[in-house]
Each structure stands twice: as structure tokens, then as C-alpha cells.
Amino acid sequence: MDSSGPAVEYKNFLGVLRSFISAIARPLLSLSVCLSVSVKFRARNRSFKSMATRYWVVSLPVQNSASSLWNRLQEQISKHSFDTPLYRFNTPNLRVGTLDSLLSLSDDLLKSNSFVEGVSHKIRRQIEELERVSGVESNALTVDGVPVDSYLTRFVWDEAKYPTMSPLREIVDSIHGQVAKIEDDLKVRVAEYSNVRSQLNAINRKQSGSLAVRDLSNLVKPEDIIASEHLVTLLAVVPKYSQKDWLASYETLTSYVVPRSSKMLYEDNEYALYTVTLFRRVADNFRTSARERGFQIRDFEYSTEAQESRKQELEKLMQDQESLRSSLLQWCYTSYGEVFSSWMHFCAVRVFAESILRYGMCFSSVRKK
């Protein structure tokens, strides 16, 4: 939270929640253990770009009835004027297994949770980057066709995907495997898109860089070049401050230079591009003398076929980039929902397993926003 007001309110809320849990939990149950049962995650509300919503998943031991406990919690929150909605978190009756299996699973839950959460954030950041580059309006992220916040507050366990009679370890491994597969697919798709984008950026740098390094094909016309058995036209890159020196000296850099053959074709902030025509047999001597005077002779051979080939290559790369970007964005929208749903199911498993270890077989879950 950015402002001090919400931050203070949030801190006060945690204090009330801690006091409430301490009052109803077992005498031997410490406050820190209660908090370790909570599963915290952040879901970006993309309808309001600058906002983020923090959720807590809290399990409480039921002494009399779940309804009574729910009402007491609501009273405590409202009594302290917290504008904080509460939601039921419907954790199914999962297969408990042995105590040893629960203890072993508990050791791995935090690590696996960080992995699943990290993949969901990675996909979300990729979506934001693609939307920014594409210049498209940000779309609200969804899970199973509904906004993220709606999915969270109305979470229902997917029995078909994760049968509750399956061992907890099997459910956790299934979630981890599915998310790992999506992450691998993301890496492949992003690498393919990045490769095409890098090729386009390299071409654009050649076309927009300084005359010392850029592609000259779009600056030179066929009529600028003479290429015969005896004559050849060279292209010289001359520093702008040395243009007078070039014009005064190029005819004498070597013998057999055509007088008044140099013509400026283009200039940028640093250099000017000149042509010079001379006998082919003295071209190497001219290059050497020009380099000694601080003039760069660029290797260039005009070819209509090569020009057309480069143009077609550029167009194809642009089409490929747009196609891959659109495909990747749509894939990310879908995969984000899948990973986020997996993350929520993982949170349910984690709350269930840790609640059994802390409270025993009878517990109830409440979610706070």
C-alpha cells in the first residue's frame, strides 16, 4: 500500500486478526504459528492499473459451529471500522494420509508455492510488456472466464481436474508439473518471439545508425554508381568537419581519379556520404590513402536483386513479429488463467495441510480481502 492511511489500517487489521485468532485457538498455539498458516498472495486488479489487492487466507479452529465463528469474526472486523469484506474459502475435504506424509509435504509446500506464484507473475509481466509494445489497451485478466478478483472470492475446487480422493502429494505434484510445463512453453515462445524481434532490431540499427555502420542500400541509387571493366565508384564516409578537406584532396589521393566525380549523397549528424569514381586498378591504393587521411571507404556493391531480397526479408520479419506477438499475447492470457487457477488450488492444499497439522482434523477457513 502506497499511502500511510491504508498502511496503518492494514496494520491495525492484522492486530485485530491476531488477537481474534489467539482468543479462539488452543492455549498452546502461539501467535506466530497461527500466522504461518495464512497464505498471502497479491492479485493485480487490472481494471485499475495502479491498484493491487492483498488477500489473506486464514484457517480457524471451530469450537462450536462454523457459522458462529464466522459471525464473531465479522463482528470483530466491523467493530473496529475496517472496510474489509470477508469471504468464505471453501476448502474441500481432501485425503489426509499419514502424519509423516503431511510433515514431509509441509516441508515442500512453501518452495512449490513460490514457484507457482513466480510463474504467474512472470506471465503477467509478459502480458504487460506485450501490451505496451503493441500499444493495445490493457485487458482485464481473467480466470475461467471471470475477473481475477471474482474468481478469488468465489473459489470452487475443480474436482474433475484434481480429484479430492487423490493423495495430497499427487495433487501437489500434478499442479507443479502442469505449471512447469507452462513455464517451459513460455520460455520457448518468448525465445522465438525475441529472436525475430532481435533480427528486426539489428536491421533497424543498420538502417538508422551512423553512416559508418548503417546499411547504405537505401541511400544509393543505380545512377550514382559506375561499374565497368575499367571504372568503379567508391563510397566514402567523411566526418562532417572534414568535408572541405575531402573535396580539396580526393582527386590527389592516388592517380587516375576522375576529376570532379565526387558527389554527396547523404549526411547525418556526424558524417557525410560521398561518391568518387576512379580506375578500378587503383582502388586499393585509394582506400589506403583515404584511410590515412581519416576517410572511410565503405564496401558496397549495388544489386537490384539484393535490394529486393532485403526488402522481402524485412517485410517477412515484420509480419512474423506481429504474428508471434499476437499469438504469444493470446497464449499468455489463457495460460495466466490456468496458472492462477493452479495457484489457488495449491493455496487450498497448503491451508488444508497446515491446518490439519496445527489444529487437528476439525477446522474452518475464512478469507479476508
Side-chain angles (χ1 to χ4, degrees):
M1 298 184 180
D2 297 330
S3 61
S4 59
V8 171
E9 179 177 328
Y10 177 70
K11 184 176 180 180
N12 292 338
F13 168 82
L14 289 183
V16 172
L17 184 61
R18 289 167 179 163
S19 299
F20 183 80
I21 294 175
S22 297
I24 66 172
R26 302 176 188 176
L28 297 179
L29 187 63
S30 68
L31 180 60
S32 61
V33 172
C34 287
L35 292 180
S36 71
V37 177
S38 303
V39 180
K40 181 180 67 175
F41 54 91
R42 300 178 67 87
R44 186 184 179 90
N45 184 342
R46 306 187 77 256
S47 298
F48 306 92
K49 296 181 181 180
S50 63
M51 297 180 63
T53 306
R54 175 172 295 184
Y55 291 85
W56 283 80
V57 179
V58 180
S59 67
L60 302 172
V62 177
Q63 296 176 341
N64 298 316
S65 69
S67 297
S68 173
L69 180 62
W70 173 259
N71 293 333
R72 288 173 58 195
L73 179 59
Q74 287 183 313
E75 290 174 2
Q76 287 294 318
I77 299 300
S78 61
K79 185 168 65 175
H80 289 81
S81 302
F82 293 116
D83 184 17
T84 304
L86 302 178
Y87 306 97
R88 293 274 190 172
F89 186 71
N90 298 312
T91 303
N93 291 320
L94 299 173
R95 184 175 173 182
V96 177
T98 65
L99 178 60
D100 288 342
S101 65
L102 275 179
L103 289 172
S104 175
L105 182 65
S106 179
D107 293 337
D108 298 333
L109 285 175
L110 183 59
K111 181 178 179 180
S112 294
N113 181 78
S114 298
F115 168 72
V116 177
E117 180 182 2
V119 174
S120 73
H121 292 332
K122 188 183 299 184
I123 295 176
R124 189 201 69 210
R125 288 192 296 268
Q126 186 64 58
I127 290 174
E128 293 171 348
E129 170 65 15
L130 291 170
E131 288 179 340
R132 183 187 63 79
V133 173
S134 303
V136 301
E137 184 177 353
S138 298
N139 296 317
L141 295 177
T142 61
V143 183
D144 291 346
V146 299
V148 173
D149 285 355
S150 297
Y151 179 83
L152 291 173
T153 56
R154 303 169 189 172
F155 172 72
V156 177
W157 183 272
D158 189 342
E159 175 67 23
K161 196 171 184 180
Y162 307 108
T164 53
M165 291 306 296
S166 300
L168 291 181
R169 170 65 68 179
E170 184 176 312
I171 294 175
V172 170
D173 290 345
S174 175
I175 293 174
H176 193 284
Q178 291 169 5
V179 174
K181 184 177 180 180
I182 290 176
E183 184 190 36
D184 291 341
D185 198 5
L186 174 66
K187 291 178 180 178
V188 172
R189 290 173 178 269
V190 170
E192 185 179 11
Y193 168 69
S194 298
N195 181 49
V196 172
R197 191 177 179 187
S198 296
Q199 292 181 55
L200 263 178
N201 289 338
I203 292 176
N204 290 332
R205 282 195 299 269
K206 287 183 178 180
Q207 292 182 339
S208 60
S210 72
L211 287 170
V213 296
R214 68 172 293 175
D215 180 18
L216 303 179
S217 58
N218 61 335
L219 303 179
V220 182
K221 300 177 181 178
E223 57 268 25
D224 297 325
I225 300 296
I226 297 176
S228 65
E229 182 180 355
H230 299 291
L231 293 177
V232 65
T233 297
L234 301 181
L235 298 179
V237 176
V238 180
K240 294 189 72 171
Y241 61 82
S242 300
Q243 290 184 80
K244 290 184 178 181
D245 184 25
W246 164 261
L247 294 174
S249 63
Y250 77 89
E251 295 180 4
T252 61
L253 291 179
T254 188
S255 56
Y256 302 108
V257 176
V258 177
R260 294 188 294 276
S261 63
S262 185
K263 179 178 67 172
M264 187 178 73
L265 302 182
Y266 182 82
E267 65 178 339
D268 58 21
N269 294 331
E270 299 178 79
Y271 301 98
L273 181 65
Y274 282 87
T275 63
V276 58
T277 302
L278 60 155
F279 275 70
R280 188 179 294 275
R281 61 194 175 99
V282 297
D284 289 340
N285 293 336
F286 187 89
R287 287 189 177 90
T288 301
S289 298
R291 184 169 58 250
E292 292 174 352
R293 296 291 295 270
F295 309 131
Q296 178 185 356
I297 304 301
R298 292 285 306 273
D299 293 329
F300 180 82
E301 182 177 352
Y302 188 88
S303 170
T304 303
E305 293 78 9
Q307 282 274 73
E308 185 62 27
S309 176
R310 280 192 289 267
K311 181 179 178 181
Q312 293 177 358
E313 179 187 6
L314 178 61
E315 291 176 351
K316 184 178 184 304
L317 284 173
M318 293 178 66
Q319 292 173 359
D320 289 347
Q321 177 183 244
E322 186 58 34
S323 175
L324 289 171
R325 182 164 55 203
S326 176
S327 175
L328 178 58
L329 184 57
Q330 292 304 317
W331 181 90
C332 284
Y333 284 143
T334 302
S335 297
Y336 180 83
E338 294 179 7
V339 172
F340 199 93
S341 175
S342 298
W343 184 21
M344 276 302 301
H345 283 79
F346 191 93
C347 288
V349 172
R350 184 180 176 192
V351 168
F352 178 85
E354 296 193 6
S355 297
I356 294 296
L357 291 173
R358 305 303 183 188
Y359 301 136
M361 290 300 295
C362 296
F363 75 95
S364 176
S365 297
V366 176
R367 180 169 63 241
K368 174 265 169 184
K369 173 184 173 184

